[in-house]
Amino acid sequence: MSESYNRARKLGLKQFHRDEVAGAFPYPPALDDLLEGQGRLPRVHVGTVELDPALVVGTKTRARQNIFASNFLPIAPEGSEFATKWSALCESQLEEGTREPIEVFEYLQRFYVQEGNKRVSVARYLGSPTLPAKVVRVMPAETDSPQAKAYLEFTRFYSVARIYGIVLTHEGGYARLAELFGEDLEHRWPDEKRDALRRLFSRFSKAYGEHADDVGLTAGDALLVALSVCGLDELSRQRPAQLAETVERLRGEFAALSGQASVAYLEDPDATPDEPGVMEKLVSSLRSFYSVYQSAVEGPTKVAFVYDQSPMTSRWVAAHEEGRHDLERRLGDQVETFAYPSAYEDDDFDAVVADAVERGASLVVTVSPTQMAQTLRAAVKYPDVEFINCSVSLSHDAVRIFSGRLYEAKFLLGALAAAISKDHRIGYVAESPVYNSVAEVNAFARGAEMVDAHALVYLEWVEEAGNDPREAFAKQGIKVVSGHDFPDPLHPEEPWGLWYDAGDGLDIQLGAPVWNWGLYYERLVQSLRNDTWRAEGERLPAQTLNYWWGLSSGVVDVHVDEDVPEPQRRLVELLRQGVVSGTVDPFSGELLSQERPIQPEGSPRLPSEAIARMDWLAHNVAGHVPPTELLTEGARRAVEVNGVAESVLGETDEGGDPA
């Protein structure tokens, strides 16, 4: 069998030299070296399992480490005692298979051989699918690191599914995987479910390794993305060629999750990310001319709006529906729109999107973060249609997102509230604790503090089960309140915006934030018609695009009631001009949270990502984020998709909208 050894050794030496050139360690790593300095970690005897040889990555100790390349193929000289024993073992395995289990230590789902190095090497060379192995698990040190948390969740997954090799790097991943298979991490999985997962992972990881392994995501994380987008039934019935196509179409999503694709916050609709050269400008002009000409020939741009609720009952959906009608008024026969209300369930959503595509929609708009999973699934299914979701920081390659810097308007209203309040106290009604809403609370508090250094903002959450913000404010005698951003379609008489409780049931509106959704949608549609949409994608190929426009764009504004005294109205206008020009910003300078300093005096504006994903409350906010279990069902779903981690936020003893 020296011929087999010679071939195996050539493969081993090839890997050895490749590692040397790359500056990588050319031998299998030793577990003892990896764990040096950590003391004796807890060990668990797992028992004997059938182990994929590809999961064996190293040796327990350094002994005999240097006779293997990093891929566990031999590099010892031909004619050596080791070569003779390796050849004999190879012949034995070909004739009889492997009977005696190897002995391995498992650490973070990687295996290190204590006894049976040659058996692993031969199995690797022969391509054996499994090896019997006695496994001892080495538990990682107890830390709060994401890796340790994810691994502890894996141990729960293994106890019920008995599957090694599916590496998920984010806490919650194994629970989500179990949920997608209709199981959990508490009860033993039926054999058919376990075998189905093994088969699917084997097929998927092969396609992933051949078509997208370079994106830097584990095959397990990639499978979880594919299952979340395509669904278990669809993915399970795909043949190898279809799986390969699915993997190719999800490359951008894999890159986004792995961190290779950064988020581009496009904060000015009239600005370009980089100044193009002369030739680029010429090409862009020609594309724009052709696009306009083509649109004139082919007719109006068709846009579908898919809502998860009805505009008859939802403030948020009603505002977007008015924006849709305004879009039609603005663009006339250049655009045709159609709306699909209350498409909440997956089947309903898929059906209305299919109808929109059949009717020739070029753009599909969804208006809630909770629709992102559905929107992403549709975007992968219909790659020739553009999809956009109204949310913040839900970064995906196939779906662009849009929202607005409403916190700028809330900053102005905070200043107005402090100018009106006579006792330094202001009430603030927030919807649910999702990203963006926290920035709006803090911007409001910053505006109030700018006018009144003693201003205190009392925060109440609408979506906290059993909570009545108005009743809470009445008990505390708070008169100036920042309420809902929109009127209630079912109860239009209820106060909204910034209002003053004058007593005896009389509420006086002072002002309100303004969303100009029609203008927003007009600009988005025009970007499709004049080819700016495609140009932005080409200019930022490795980034996920987030349209995040503010006061300077006109899509966000503030209304101050004409009955507000003239000095206060002038104050708001002066601050508004400062925000539009960039000379005033709510999140520049010294920032203090309830628990710690955020940045010192003289600091520039916080980065866009830090604002969009703000997870702290300003020091002059009296309130906290309620625990998830105290939220309403709808709010829990929103927080699960795009929520702020409540454990990060401070809580005091003193007692946003969906995007």
Side-chain angles (χ1 to χ4, degrees):
M1 294 299 293
S2 59
E3 186 177 342
S4 292
Y5 183 80
N6 290 342
R7 284 197 296 265
R9 182 172 181 268
K10 286 180 180 179
L11 293 172
L13 289 172
K14 183 178 180 180
Q15 181 65 46
F16 184 89
H17 294 310
R18 186 184 297 124
D19 288 339
E20 281 192 319
V21 170
F25 188 64
Y27 306 107
L31 181 61
D32 287 351
D33 292 339
L34 295 177
L35 302 181
E36 188 174 1
Q38 296 192 46
R40 183 172 175 82
L41 298 175
R43 300 181 179 187
V44 177
H45 289 269
V46 176
T48 302
V49 303
E50 288 294 322
L51 184 65
D52 181 352
L55 297 177
V56 180
V57 299
T59 57
K60 173 63 171 60
T61 67
R62 293 181 184 177
R64 305 184 74 80
Q65 180 188 51
N66 62 354
I67 58 177
F68 300 104
S70 62
N71 59 1
F72 248 97
L73 293 181
I75 57 175
E78 301 172 27
S80 64
E81 180 183 359
F82 175 84
T84 301
K85 291 182 177 180
W86 191 99
S87 298
L89 181 61
C90 183
E91 183 175 357
S92 172
Q93 285 200 17
L94 282 172
E95 293 177 356
E96 304 176 13
T98 303
R99 296 180 178 178
E100 190 69 21
I102 62 173
E103 297 178 12
V104 297
F105 285 81
E106 179 244 322
Y107 182 67
L108 300 176
Q109 283 208 75
R110 292 295 179 261
F111 296 84
Y112 302 84
V113 186
Q114 171 78 9
E115 179 64 37
N117 290 305
K118 288 191 294 294
R119 276 170 279 172
V120 172
S121 181
V122 169
R124 283 283 196 94
Y125 171 70
L126 295 177
S128 302
T130 61
L131 270 176
K134 294 180 180 178
V135 178
V136 175
R137 176 178 294 155
V138 180
M139 298 297 295
E142 291 186 11
T143 70
D144 289 330
S145 71
Q147 183 186 39
K149 289 181 178 179
Y151 182 76
L152 288 177
E153 189 178 31
F154 160 75
T155 62
R156 296 173 58 205
F157 167 76
Y158 183 82
S159 69
V160 296
R162 306 291 290 182
I163 298 175
Y164 271 120
I166 302 178
V167 178
L168 303 178
T169 58
H170 300 278
E171 186 180 12
Y174 290 101
R176 174 61 177 158
L177 180 63
E179 179 186 359
L180 289 166
F181 273 77
E183 298 297 329
D184 56 35
L185 303 183
E186 308 300 329
H187 304 89
R188 187 176 181 86
W189 287 27
D191 290 346
E192 60 270 20
K193 292 283 187 73
R194 181 188 61 203
D195 294 341
L197 175 54
R198 278 200 178 113
R199 289 193 300 270
L200 177 58
F201 181 68
S202 176
R203 292 167 51 239
F204 179 85
S205 59
K206 184 176 186 297
Y208 178 74
E210 292 173 350
H211 297 278
D213 192 41
D214 58 310
V215 301
L217 205 64
T218 70
D221 284 335
L223 174 64
L224 194 57
V225 171
L227 281 168
S228 298
V229 173
C230 302
L232 175 59
D233 292 342
E234 170 64 24
L235 206 63
S236 296
R237 61 172 168 257
Q238 288 186 359
R239 297 179 180 274
Q242 294 172 305
L243 267 179
E245 182 180 348
T246 295
V247 167
E248 288 285 1
R249 292 170 71 174
L250 289 173
R251 278 184 64 91
E253 303 308 320
F254 300 151
L257 184 59
S258 69
Q260 288 189 20
S262 59
V263 179
Y265 286 89
L266 306 180
E267 300 188 22
D268 183 351
D270 299 318
T272 55
D274 297 297
E275 183 63 26
V278 174
M279 184 57 68
E280 288 177 293
K281 289 181 178 179
L282 176 60
V283 171
S284 178
S285 297
L286 290 173
R287 281 179 175 172
S288 297
F289 174 79
Y290 176 72
S291 178
V292 172
Y293 168 76
Q294 189 179 41
S295 296
V297 173
E298 295 180 356
T301 300
K302 297 182 179 181
V303 184
F305 290 76
V306 182
Y307 304 134
D308 59 340
Q309 299 181 64
S310 167
M312 302 298 293
T313 58
S314 166
R315 304 170 191 262
W316 182 247
V317 173
H320 283 275
E321 179 66 356
E322 173 55 35
R324 180 178 75 87
H325 290 302
D326 190 27
L327 168 64
E328 293 179 327
R329 290 191 291 267
R330 287 171 176 273
L331 290 184
D333 58 7
Q334 296 181 63
V335 68
E336 178 184 346
T337 74
F338 22 94
Y340 300 94
S342 303
Y344 178 81
E345 299 293 342
D346 286 350
D347 289 345
D348 294 334
F349 184 93
D350 294 344
V352 300
V353 170
D355 182 73
V357 173
E358 180 68 24
R359 295 170 68 177
S362 300
L363 175 66
V364 175
V365 179
T366 57
V367 301
S368 171
T370 56
Q371 294 177 287
M372 177 55 88
Q374 297 168 324
T375 309
L376 177 58
R377 184 174 66 248
V380 172
K381 184 175 182 179
Y382 303 107
D384 295 330
V385 178
E386 301 294 346
F387 287 81
I388 191 165
N389 173 260
C390 190
S391 58
V392 174
S393 293
L394 293 183
S395 303
H396 292 284
D397 177 72
V399 180
R400 299 187 188 188
I401 60 177
F402 73 107
S403 188
R405 301 194 301 276
L406 192 67
Y407 71 82
E408 294 176 347
K410 292 298 185 80
F411 171 73
L412 302 180
L413 291 173
L416 176 59
I420 297 295
S421 175
K422 296 180 175 62
D423 61 2
H424 314 294
R425 299 187 305 158
I426 307 163
Y428 189 101
V429 177
E431 298 288 343
S432 55
V434 296
Y435 286 122
N436 223 21
S437 65
V438 174
E440 292 165 13
V441 174
N442 287 338
F444 184 92
R446 289 277 289 170
E449 184 181 26
M450 180 175 288
V451 173
D452 177 5
H454 301 290
L456 192 60
V457 176
Y458 289 77
L459 174 63
E460 295 287 340
W461 297 91
V462 174
E463 297 294 347
E464 184 174 359
N467 190 33
D468 184 340
R470 175 143 198 179
E471 181 180 336
F473 295 143
K475 286 181 178 178
Q476 298 175 80
I478 294 173
K479 298 295 186 179
V480 180
V481 176
S482 175
H484 295 283
D485 295 337
F486 311 101
D488 187 344
L490 297 178
H491 304 284
E493 74 283 354
E494 290 187 356
W496 60 282
L498 183 68
W499 51 277
Y500 179 80
D501 181 0
D504 296 326
L506 178 61
D507 301 314
I508 301 173
Q509 188 173 53
L510 305 172
V514 175
W515 279 108
N516 291 320
W517 287 120
L519 174 60
Y520 210 134
Y521 289 130
E522 178 189 12
R523 293 192 173 208
L524 290 175
V525 171
Q526 290 288 30
S527 75
L528 278 173
R529 293 176 65 85
N530 65 22
D531 216 32
T532 302
W533 182 285
R534 183 172 63 173
E536 286 173 334
E538 291 176 349
R539 193 178 297 278
L540 300 166
Q543 300 186 61
T544 57
L545 303 188
N546 181 350
Y547 299 99
W548 203 39
W549 301 340
L551 283 171
S552 60
S553 71
V555 303
V556 170
D557 210 335
V558 65
H559 163 76
V560 178
D561 195 87
E562 60 183 12
D563 292 333
V564 170
E566 193 270 341
Q568 283 84 0
R569 284 190 282 115
R570 189 166 64 247
L571 168 68
V572 172
E573 180 55 30
L574 287 173
L575 288 175
R576 181 184 179 281
Q577 292 176 13
V579 172
V580 170
S581 66
T583 58
V584 175
D585 191 281
F587 296 120
S588 64
E590 183 183 33
L591 296 174
L592 303 174
S593 77
Q594 292 176 337
E595 296 183 333
R596 66 189 189 282
I598 301 300
Q599 65 180 22
E601 185 177 349
S603 298
R605 172 189 184 254
L606 284 175
S608 298
E609 180 77 1
I611 297 173
R613 300 182 65 85
M614 193 169 283
D615 59 4
W616 50 270
L617 289 173
H619 73 103
N620 63 326
V621 173
H624 62 279
V625 169
T628 303
E629 59 269 19
L630 295 185
L631 296 175
T632 63
E633 182 179 352
R636 285 198 299 270
R637 185 164 179 257
V639 168
E640 180 182 346
V641 173
N642 197 34
V644 178
E646 70 225 40
S647 60
V648 179
L649 288 159
E651 183 170 333
T652 72
D653 296 329
E654 306 178 60
D657 52 55

